[in-house]
Amino acid sequence: MLQAVNVGHKALADYATIATRGLMDEIRRLAEPLAGKRVAHVSATAFGGGVAEINYTLVPLMQSAGLETDWLIIKGADEFFNVTKTIHNALQGNPQGLDAEQQEIYRKYNELNAKDFVDEYDFVIIHDAQPAAMIEQFPTSRAHWIWRCHIDLSTPNDQVLDFLLPSLQRYGATIFHRRDYVPANAEVAASAFIWPPAIDPLAPKNMALSAEDAAYIVDQFGIDVTRPLLTQVSRFDPWKDPLGVIDAYRLVKEEHPGVQLALVGSMAHDDPEGWDFYNQTVSYASGDPDIYILSNLNNVGSVEVNAFQVHSAAVIQKSIREGFGLTVSEALWKARPTVAGRAGGIVDQITHGETGWLVASSSECAEACMLALGDPELARRLALAGKEHVRRRFLTPRLLRDWLALFNRMLGLETEGVELATAAAA
Ligand code: UDP
């Protein structure tokens, strides 16, 4: 048996406070014919990164909507996660491909995990590339298999994408955050749906926290709460460009000597590269006492991330590639001035100069941070517009609605007037 994640409990009814009556009604109508259906989410880790973040809310809410939903974690040793990190990087455009031995390791672990998976579900949702080939072992499955892609596939390394395509073509549906992530492959494109992920406004990470409480928490990490703070929250990953954030901070510091920087990044267990890059980041900061590099190892959990975001004069997400970037919606939801890389799904969250700032270099990042520090009124106006944008598009009830509509559609049922965007409709 694959390891099941205990997600605790969430009640759909609680979300009536943040979703419109129309949306809640849609969810109830779509959930009705799905009562008792069994759903399995399969992913590589229950800790660190956006997939885990989403599933901790989505899985209990599917349960609350009446579907019997499990979340299962695949097994793997470092040799497997090294290969899957290479796959992840290649799918986001890194030229390094997979050799025959790496391909074999990937297949072997997918087969092993497939042996531990009990194929007794109505819907099997496979998250990202790590378990994507498990489907090969279930040619006669009665379940509907769905591949949910969370990464930026706009400029993939074709060698690695071609290696995965035979598996991807087997899925009854594939889901991408954006249309330009859909692979140029007729079979995958024919089954592709487009919708972005969402943040949970009621989770400890995003629930309302007063400025005083946020300052109280941040203070405990040694931050001087009387001086401005810039924060980036993200895994230690080259695509998130923490070194570029340090460069930007140094430029800001020339004008605002009091500024401090927090780089908050958890260590996902399927990310063996993380430690190397963490060490690189620490040495790049070269002992600057105003740079705070923190992780779950310093006890930075969801509430602490919430506090850092709430307390920051500006939140940065200087990604070079970004599937979606939940951290951007998290910052905007807290009405924080947000400066983020012009990459992937970030551009769906930030319209430059309207809901935040989009940047393509460290110097642009520094300029935007200085605007945010120097003109708090402008920064506040953009941040409030950003919060409104997130309220309309990137909160959990909308995500749940989209999933339920897809399940209905795959069963050949009415989707109650809910239209799902398909790749074909581009
Ligand atoms: N996160 C966290 N602690 C950290 C680093 C990240 O809780 O130290 C969370 C972050 O708040 C967000 C998620 O992990 O909810 C990262 O999702 P995102 O889509 O931004 O990036 P991904 O890691 O999936 O590439």
Side-chain angles (χ1 to χ4, degrees):
M1 289 284 282
L2 296 180
Q3 187 199 339
V5 183
N6 178 357
V7 293
H9 166 78
K10 288 189 194 289
L12 189 50
D14 293 346
Y15 290 76
T17 56
I18 47 121
T20 61
R21 163 109 43 104
L23 180 52
M24 292 304 284
D25 285 347
E26 269 173 6
I27 290 172
R28 280 191 207 100
R29 285 202 305 271
L30 288 164
E32 226 166 81
L34 300 173
K37 294 286 181 209
R38 298 202 58 193
V39 181
H41 288 261
V42 180
S43 76
T45 174
F47 183 78
V51 178
E53 186 73 25
I54 293 162
N55 278 358
Y56 274 109
T57 291
L58 188 58
V59 170
L61 282 185
M62 281 187 175
Q63 286 168 351
S64 178
L67 291 85
E68 286 183 34
T69 310
D70 294 325
W71 176 14
L72 307 169
I73 302 297
I74 57 168
K75 292 181 199 131
D78 269 3
E79 61 168 353
F80 174 62
F81 290 125
N82 282 323
V83 170
T84 58
K85 193 67 205 272
T86 304
I87 293 176
H88 173 97
N89 288 338
L91 291 178
Q92 296 213 127
N94 192 308
Q96 191 192 336
L98 291 178
D99 62 26
E101 190 192 344
Q102 291 173 308
Q103 296 183 7
E104 197 38 48
I105 289 171
Y106 177 76
R107 281 197 203 95
K108 183 179 84 183
Y109 279 89
N110 268 271
E111 276 172 36
L112 285 173
N113 280 298
K115 284 204 179 80
D116 282 347
F117 177 70
V118 186
D119 181 23
E120 58 185 7
Y121 293 89
D122 298 288
F123 299 98
V124 179
I125 301 166
I126 300 285
H127 292 271
D128 275 343
Q130 298 94 329
M134 279 173 59
I135 192 172
E136 307 269 358
Q137 308 305 314
F138 301 97
T140 58
S141 175
R142 56 170 280 279
H144 295 277
W145 287 66
I146 302 164
W147 188 58
R148 195 347 160 184
C149 175
H150 293 267
I151 64 178
D152 182 343
L153 258 183
S154 55
T155 55
N157 169 332
D158 283 331
Q159 189 242 353
V160 173
L161 182 59
D162 287 349
F163 168 68
L164 292 174
L165 276 176
S167 301
L168 303 186
Q169 286 168 349
R170 290 173 174 266
Y171 285 85
T174 52
I175 303 163
F176 301 86
H177 296 328
R178 317 190 70 215
R179 229 167 227 135
D180 67 338
Y181 294 174
V182 180
N185 170 280
E187 271 175 73
V188 175
S191 73
F193 292 84
I194 318 295
W195 71 66
I199 62 162
D200 179 357
L202 304 185
K205 162 102 24 102
N206 298 311
M207 67 191 192
L209 198 61
S210 70
E212 294 74 25
D213 287 343
Y216 182 73
I217 292 172
V218 166
D219 177 69
Q220 294 180 37
F221 290 88
I223 312 286
D224 178 350
V225 296
T226 64
R227 290 193 276 137
L229 176 70
L230 305 173
T231 298
Q232 171 157 302
V233 176
S234 63
R235 291 177 295 106
F236 288 100
D237 178 317
W239 303 111
K240 310 281 188 185
D241 199 20
L243 307 188
V245 175
I246 292 178
D247 288 338
Y249 150 85
R250 288 191 170 130
L251 292 170
V252 176
K253 205 160 179 71
E254 288 172 11
E255 304 267 323
H256 297 266
V259 74
Q260 306 163 91
L261 173 66
L263 293 171
V264 178
S266 60
M267 295 293 170
H269 89 259
D270 65 334
D271 185 4
E273 254 183 18
W275 278 114
D276 285 348
F277 205 62
Y278 172 84
N279 290 330
Q280 272 186 52
T281 309
V282 170
S283 78
Y284 201 72
S286 41
D288 183 334
D290 282 341
I291 301 181
Y292 295 81
I293 301 180
L294 303 167
S295 74
N296 47 307
L297 302 177
N298 306 95
N299 261 340
V300 182
S302 296
V303 175
E304 289 80 5
V305 167
N306 188 341
F308 272 90
Q309 290 168 332
V310 166
H311 182 74
S312 293
V315 174
I316 302 175
Q317 186 57 59
K318 207 201 148 301
S319 303
I320 294 162
R321 290 272 192 285
E322 190 59 79
F324 181 72
L326 291 171
T327 51
V328 173
S329 276
E330 288 166 6
L332 293 176
W333 179 244
K334 294 161 185 119
R336 297 324 298 150
T338 306
V339 177
R342 185 177 275 112
I346 289 173
V347 304
D348 293 330
Q349 301 171 76
I350 293 190
T351 304
H352 185 67
E354 286 179 27
T355 59
W357 290 274
L358 292 173
V359 298
S361 65
S362 293
S363 58
E364 284 182 21
C365 181
E367 267 170 46
C369 290
M370 287 192 271
L371 260 179
L373 293 177
D375 190 347
E377 219 167 277
L378 168 77
R380 177 94 188 132
R381 185 156 50 75
L382 268 53
L384 285 173
K387 176 165 187 164
E388 208 34 52
H389 182 58
V390 171
R391 188 198 309 280
R392 276 183 272 113
R393 299 197 46 194
F394 304 124
L395 298 185
T396 299
R398 190 274 307 152
L399 179 64
L400 178 66
R401 190 268 319 266
D402 289 350
W403 274 110
L404 298 179
L406 178 66
F407 292 161
N408 277 281
R409 189 169 160 148
M410 291 182 92
L411 293 175
L413 302 170
E414 268 300 308
T415 55
E416 302 290 340
V418 176
E419 296 288 333
L420 291 172
T422 59

